Amino acid sequence: MQRIRLRYTKRGRLRFTSHRDFQRAFERALRRSAVPMAYSAGFTPHPKVSYANAAPTGVASEAEYLEIGLAEARDPEALRAQLDESLPPGLDIVDAVEVRTPNFVERLEASEWRVRLAGVEGEEAARAVAAFLAEEAVEVQRLTKNGMRVFDTRAAVAALELLPPQVGDGNDTGTDRADDVRPGAPCAILRLVVRHATPAVRPDDVLSGLRATADLAPPVPAEVTRLAQGPLDEGTGTVTDPLALDRAAAPAGR
């Protein structure tokens, strides 16, 4: 059985699709593309598809991952293009590698997020970021399926900074960068790197922490995009490519 790891996106309005919605769309794409899937054993066989750390509904992402098992070998790039054609624009398969290394999920140590705060002045956001980073712990509460949980958002944050405003240049890729700055409208853009932990700390938890420490309360909901997830370089606070090890392990010329 050949195994392929895929990176896919949720862009534009497709950010509002749930993980279950994507699963249904992806399984339809597998059938339309006649991908030779491997199936589980048992009374009700299922295609061998596994997902890793899906983003919450309402959040855009450039870095979602899944793995599929094939009954027949296929070229990863040809398979990527084939599946991408069968998915709606916004749910895009953007990378594919053959699985050559184990423990992929363990490599997803952190996520890098872009948080757009419409209606917030840059100076106000900068003060809130400084106040948050100055704290040793910033605890917030969130209701989970297991009841009310308390999260230390400060411990989970590996990097948090205010980005300079950027005016769209007409080359929007679906992550809403073209709308960062609108004439006469304040807007702050944050870069956030959060370590993956249990329980998981999400960008909205960090926003709750900013509200608790600096009374930062955007007038409209934040627009959040996951830019990357993978190994964390603690020295630089950057997230690197989790598929790099599979590429490096591929035989020369493949």
Side-chain angles (χ1 to χ4, degrees), residues 106 120 140 149:
E106 294 179 9
V120 175
V140 301
R149 299 293 299 270

Side-chain angles (χ1 to χ4, degrees), residues 143-224:
L143 184 63
T144 71
K145 62 181 180 181
N146 296 319
M148 190 66 71
R149 299 293 299 270
V150 177
F151 303 80
D152 180 5
T153 57
R154 180 62 188 91
V157 171
L160 177 60
E161 62 180 330
L162 176 68
L163 297 179
Q166 298 185 18
V167 178
D169 57 6
N171 295 317
D172 185 26
T173 61
T175 56
D176 302 325
R177 293 195 67 85
D179 292 331
D180 279 356
V181 177
R182 299 184 180 94
C187 180
I189 310 295
L190 303 181
R191 173 183 173 268
L192 170 65
V193 177
V194 179
R195 299 178 183 88
H196 295 169
T198 303
V201 172
R202 307 184 310 200
D204 57 316
D205 296 320
V206 177
L207 290 173
S208 295
L210 289 168
R211 185 180 304 112
T213 56
D215 198 29
L216 181 68
V220 296
E223 295 179 14
V224 180

